[in-house]
Amino acid sequence: MVFPTVVLRETTYIASLGRELWRLRDVRPESPVTIVDIFEAHAGRAPESPAILCGDDVVSYGALNALAERYACWARGVGIGRGQCVALLMDNRPEYIAAWLGLFKLGVVVALINTNLRGAALAHSIAVCAARHLVLGRELAAEYLNARDLIAVPPEAWVTGGSHPDCIDLDEVLNTILSPSTDPAWRAGLTCADLAFYIFTSGTTGPPKAANISHFRTLFMMHGFGGAIGTHASDRIYDVLPLYHSAGGICGPGMALTVGGSLVIRRKFSVHEFWDDCARYRPTVFQYIGELCRYLLNASPSAHERDHSLSAIIGNGLRPDIWETFQSRFAIPRIIEFYGATEGNVVLLNYDGKVGAVGRIPWYARGFFQTRIVRHDIETEEPVRNGDGFCMECADGEVGEAIGRITSEAKTRFEGYTRESDTEKKILRHVFRRGDTWFRTGDLMKRDRHGYFYFVDRIGDTFRWKGENVATSEVAEALQSITGIAEANVYGVKVPGYEGRAGMAALVVAPGFDVALLAERLKGNLPDYARPIFLRLISQIETTGTFKQRKVDLVKEGFDPAQIKAPLYKLDSRALRYEILTAREYESIISGCLKI
């Protein structure tokens, strides 16, 4: 049995990798062919083919190209040219993609602004990319205008989707362009090495950073995802992720638009309408985020949850505790989990569906894929170096930080951020020899003997307690495997008089859930040092626009009953029960009179 399994695994890996590399064969930084050229070719060959489906609208390739041409003519008419930046702040809809396609026809750089930002964070994102013009969805006009005075040189706001008295009506201008026609000469000299997008980090630990995304990286992600799945013109990609992010805004559309396929989008993800959409639009591929899969699994059965056309789903964050249950319940033929960051050069793909793995680099591919895991100090949040000052690669099964070698080669480029200081923080120097440079992912991983990589935790989330490292993701998995716990957000909190941080979990639980008995139920799933010391019950867990759990505010709030109105519990380790944490007990813990 072992030999056939090994052969199948290696055959799957080599075949999938070969298909992906074939798609990427012509993607080079010096190439003049960008996504615009590829899209225009499909629009010319099959103008009536559906490009985007959204609600009741079906936008053909020809119609989408015509709208993109209008955007290009408008931009050229107001003096926007190659290399200049236009910010885009709009909810998911076909006009979003038409806008950046049109601006790319001029070689313009497009800053994709997070639609969840408000106030200073929104102002910062628009200012840091030095945009002089803003394409603004009417639904977000009030948010922009509230932040405008915080921008030293605010951009000219062009509103679409309805007029606004304080903005220029872009729709009215576009409608006056009756015969839109662009000239390829408008982007003469543009190559894949030029900037295409600014895409922002989530900003959960500081102001959002603008990552530089070239046309090369754009196509690398688009073709890479399409190659991993093997998409064709007959495929429909269901994309409910925000279009301002690389996953939803580049990878999802790219799987469709690079091959002449169709993209299905909606303004926001809906648990209750997901399977109805699958029955209505008949998508063949769904791009997921792990939390979306958990939401679907926690939902009541749907009449259409197995009546769908999905042949594969691709995404990241599908945790091992729900992987097989999700795949079985919803009859998903193929799951491709991946790992990658918007700006990073570390990309991993789990071609053969190994449960829990984020990708694989077998021994014979290590020379081609320069991704390594190095030993890491949890306390200092820095790599561990040997007596010669070099980093040490982790053994199989050992947890460390994943890093990717930076070279001038296309596949290992790191394009950095708009601010050099932000770029420098992500570069690790003199790693295995003097002068080499590597990209720091900021993620802890481990690798098994077959070359499969497994995500463990974010650096900064993992903490030490009782001399042991506690991975918040593994504790959350254990908690969420218990009936009655819908969601868990795990983090560490400082306690005076104790080294490291004590574990705490914010839980969303079902009515009637008995918190007191949780410790006993965790006994077989977690070692004693990993069991949360404190619990906090909440109605819902706050997430970013890309469904990542927010921890920063929870850590700051700690476990003070005087500051937190939600029910708080403390572990009684002797009785192995969780008991209500009172204000008096809190003061005793803080003063050192009560041990935990």
Side-chain angles (χ1 to χ4, degrees):
M1 291 296 292
V2 174
F3 181 73
T5 300
V6 171
V7 171
L8 178 61
R9 181 179 66 221
E10 301 307 329
T11 301
T12 300
Y13 180 85
I14 293 170
S16 299
L17 179 59
R19 184 172 61 240
E20 185 183 352
L21 293 178
W22 176 255
R23 295 265 180 116
L24 293 167
R25 68 193 183 282
D26 296 324
V27 181
R28 303 181 308 276
E30 67 275 14
S31 171
V33 178
T34 70
I35 182 57
V36 170
D37 301 282
I38 296 169
F39 169 77
E40 287 178 341
H42 288 305
R45 284 193 295 267
E48 299 304 317
S49 284
I52 300 178
L53 296 88
C54 181
D56 294 328
D57 296 329
V58 178
V59 183
S60 68
Y61 270 82
L64 186 61
N65 190 47
L67 182 54
E69 299 256 298
R70 285 188 169 86
Y71 272 99
C73 291
W74 154 73
R76 184 173 171 84
V78 297
I80 302 171
R82 179 179 164 186
Q84 293 180 308
C85 177
V86 172
L88 179 55
L89 179 62
M90 185 192 304
D91 279 345
N92 288 10
R93 57 176 182 266
E95 290 82 359
Y96 196 104
I97 293 173
W100 60 251
L101 275 171
L103 292 165
F104 283 178
K105 289 173 183 276
L106 300 177
V108 172
V109 182
V110 183
L112 306 183
I113 308 298
N114 186 329
T115 57
N116 296 291
L117 297 180
R118 300 292 184 267
L122 176 56
H124 166 83
S125 294
I126 294 172
V128 78
C129 60
R132 294 293 171 261
H133 295 271
L134 169 69
V135 177
L136 176 64
R138 176 63 179 81
E139 67 280 1
L140 293 165
E143 283 72 17
Y144 167 67
L145 294 171
N146 287 337
R148 184 173 60 182
D149 290 344
L150 301 175
I151 305 172
V153 183
E156 191 82 72
W158 300 78
V159 70
T160 178
S163 62
H164 191 285
D166 294 319
C167 305
I168 304 172
D169 191 333
L170 180 56
D171 292 336
E172 184 177 359
V173 175
L174 294 177
N175 289 335
T176 64
I177 304 172
L178 300 179
S179 300
S181 180
T182 61
D183 187 338
W186 293 357
R187 58 182 186 273
L190 185 77
T191 69
C192 281
D194 289 299
L195 279 179
F197 292 113
Y198 292 126
I199 296 183
F200 291 82
T201 61
S202 60
T204 54
T205 58
K209 298 189 293 289
N212 300 320
I213 307 296
S214 66
H215 284 279
F216 163 78
R217 186 162 181 80
T218 298
L219 280 182
F220 192 87
M221 288 191 278
M222 289 180 165
H223 281 305
F225 267 59
I229 287 284
T231 52
H232 298 89
S234 58
D235 281 302
R236 288 187 172 186
I237 314 301
Y238 187 43
D239 183 3
V240 298
L241 303 179
L243 294 177
Y244 62 73
H245 194 262
S246 57
I250 294 180
C251 301
M255 284 188 281
L257 300 184
T258 54
V259 295
S262 304
L263 182 70
V264 180
I265 61 175
R266 59 178 296 138
R267 183 179 175 187
K268 301 286 183 184
F269 169 74
S270 170
V271 169
H272 303 295
E273 296 180 43
F274 180 88
W275 295 113
D276 290 340
D277 278 355
C278 286
R280 177 184 182 185
Y281 298 110
R282 310 306 294 180
T284 55
V285 177
F286 164 51
Q287 186 178 0
Y288 67 83
I289 293 289
E291 284 306 298
L292 301 189
C293 298
R294 192 177 296 280
Y295 297 157
L296 291 170
L297 200 56
N298 288 339
S300 301
S302 164
H304 298 298
E305 66 181 38
R306 295 175 68 88
D307 173 27
H308 57 73
S309 301
L310 294 174
S311 60
I313 66 173
I314 185 168
N316 66 320
L318 182 56
R319 301 302 298 169
D321 60 309
I322 67 166
W323 186 307
E324 292 176 297
T325 305
F326 180 87
Q327 186 168 21
S328 174
R329 172 177 166 180
F330 301 121
I332 306 296
R334 188 177 178 211
I335 295 175
I336 300 179
E337 174 81 4
F338 81 93
Y339 171 85
T342 297
E343 71 278 31
N345 67 352
V346 174
V347 180
L348 299 164
L349 281 158
N350 179 357
Y351 298 113
D352 60 353
K354 174 75 170 178
V355 174
V358 299
R360 181 171 180 251
I361 301 177
W363 62 268
Y364 53 81
R366 276 173 57 89
F368 186 76
F369 294 108
Q370 296 279 307
T371 294
R372 303 291 183 263
I373 301 175
V374 294
R375 292 180 178 174
H376 179 82
D377 188 317
I378 296 297
E379 294 296 318
T380 64
E381 298 187 356
E382 293 293 334
V384 176
R385 293 183 182 264
N386 61 22
D388 296 322
F390 296 122
C391 297
M392 296 174 282
E393 188 170 0
C394 290
D396 292 344
E398 185 180 2
V399 175
E401 181 178 4
I403 60 174
R405 190 180 178 195
I406 300 171
T407 73
S408 59
E409 293 182 29
K411 68 179 184 298
T412 53
R413 286 159 56 102
F414 170 46
E415 298 176 343
Y417 306 93
T418 54
R419 293 182 175 177
E420 186 61 32
S421 59
D422 291 330
T423 301
E424 190 60 30
K425 290 175 183 176
K426 296 293 286 185
I427 298 176
L428 193 61
R429 301 183 185 278
H430 313 302
V431 177
F432 298 116
R433 64 174 183 268
R434 294 294 171 194
D436 65 346
T437 56
W438 293 68
F439 172 78
R440 296 192 64 178
T441 64
D443 290 324
L444 298 176
M445 293 192 190
K446 60 184 177 182
R447 181 197 64 244
D448 69 16
R449 64 188 182 91
H450 298 296
Y452 288 102
F453 284 67
Y454 300 85
F455 177 84
V456 175
D457 217 358
R458 287 287 298 167
I459 289 176
D461 288 350
T462 287
F463 56 89
R464 285 183 71 78
W465 181 247
K466 294 185 178 180
E468 301 283 354
N469 295 337
V470 180
T472 60
S473 60
E474 293 179 357
V475 177
E477 283 179 27
L479 287 166
Q480 289 168 157
S481 68
I482 293 174
T483 303
I485 297 180
E487 294 183 80
N489 192 351
V490 180
Y491 48 97
V493 292
K494 285 286 189 180
V495 182
Y498 289 86
E499 294 292 331
R501 288 183 283 163
M504 186 167 182
L507 304 178
V508 178
V509 300
F513 180 79
D514 193 338
V515 177
L517 300 179
L518 177 58
E520 184 65 39
R521 298 171 72 182
L522 284 174
K523 188 175 180 180
N525 296 332
L526 288 174
D528 59 354
Y529 65 81
R531 293 175 206 145
I533 303 299
F534 304 105
L535 299 177
R536 174 179 178 175
L537 303 189
I538 56 178
S539 59
Q540 63 179 24
I541 288 177
E542 186 180 0
T543 61
T544 67
T546 51
F547 304 98
K548 296 176 182 177
Q549 293 180 338
R550 295 187 184 275
K551 299 178 187 279
V552 175
D553 290 340
L554 293 172
V555 172
K556 287 180 180 178
E557 291 166 3
F559 57 100
D560 184 356
Q563 303 297 323
I564 299 171
K565 303 306 179 187
L568 289 171
Y569 295 82
K570 180 187 73 70
L571 175 64
D572 183 332
S573 56
R574 290 186 178 181
L576 206 59
R577 288 175 61 86
Y578 283 100
E579 305 289 353
I580 289 288
L581 177 63
T582 65
R584 177 177 294 182
E585 285 178 315
Y586 172 79
E587 293 299 333
S588 296
I589 292 170
I590 295 299
S591 65
C593 296
L594 179 62
K595 300 299 181 182
I596 59 173

